[in-house]
Amino acid sequence: EVQLVESGGGLVQPGGSLRLSCAASGFTFGLSALSWVRQAPGKGLEWVSAINWNGGTTYVAEAMKGRFTISRDNAKNTLYLQMNSLKSEDTAVYFCAKDPDREVVARPDYWGQGTQVTVSS
């Protein structure tokens, strides 16, 4: 069974930082691209970032470029999202999602349950 479990969310002040983690199991982690997707209150899903199978190719949404960094540790079966200079508009539930291929595609086939990030003063 494929499992993706997010952690690291919480309450942070504007300008602060958080690092999210996604622990994966049930598939060959090193052969799958992965993504972070978020959903703010009252809004739809918004793509955040993605990374291919070995971390050689990454993508970050324009609104988060320069602030968010995606990475992975295939030896630990873990995906990360480092979030710096957080803004109130970053408040959302952040989901980890698995892509069906080694390279990034826009159709995740498995999702985690999400972790809440709240940016507020």
Side-chain angles (χ1 to χ4, degrees):
E1 179 183 356
V2 173
Q3 290 190 323
L4 300 166
V5 182
E6 302 93 337
S7 62
L11 175 65
V12 64
Q13 293 185 344
S17 298
L18 285 173
R19 186 169 77 157
L20 306 183
S21 298
C22 172
S25 62
F27 65 99
T28 305
F29 184 83
L31 295 180
S32 295
L34 297 162
S35 296
W36 289 99
V37 184
R38 71 185 186 185
Q39 186 169 36
K43 297 185 178 180
L45 294 170
E46 179 185 22
W47 179 79
V48 173
S49 188
I51 187 167
N52 78 338
W53 68 283
N54 66 354
T57 304
T58 62
Y59 303 89
V60 182
E62 288 294 327
M64 288 145 266
K65 281 185 177 179
R67 300 189 299 119
F68 289 12
T69 303
I70 191 169
S71 62
R72 65 191 296 162
D73 187 337
N74 287 353
K76 297 181 178 179
N77 284 9
T78 303
L79 173 73
Y80 303 99
L81 183 68
Q82 179 66 48
M83 304 186 294
N84 299 325
S85 301
L86 284 162
K87 306 173 181 180
S88 60
E89 53 262 44
D90 294 318
T91 295
V93 177
Y94 285 73
F95 298 93
C96 173
K98 170 186 174 292
D99 287 352
D101 202 357
R102 292 158 60 105
E103 300 301 331
V104 174
V105 296
R107 295 178 175 85
D109 54 1
Y110 292 94
W111 298 74
Q113 294 300 304
T115 186
Q116 176 71 49
V117 172
T118 302
V119 185
S120 177
S121 60

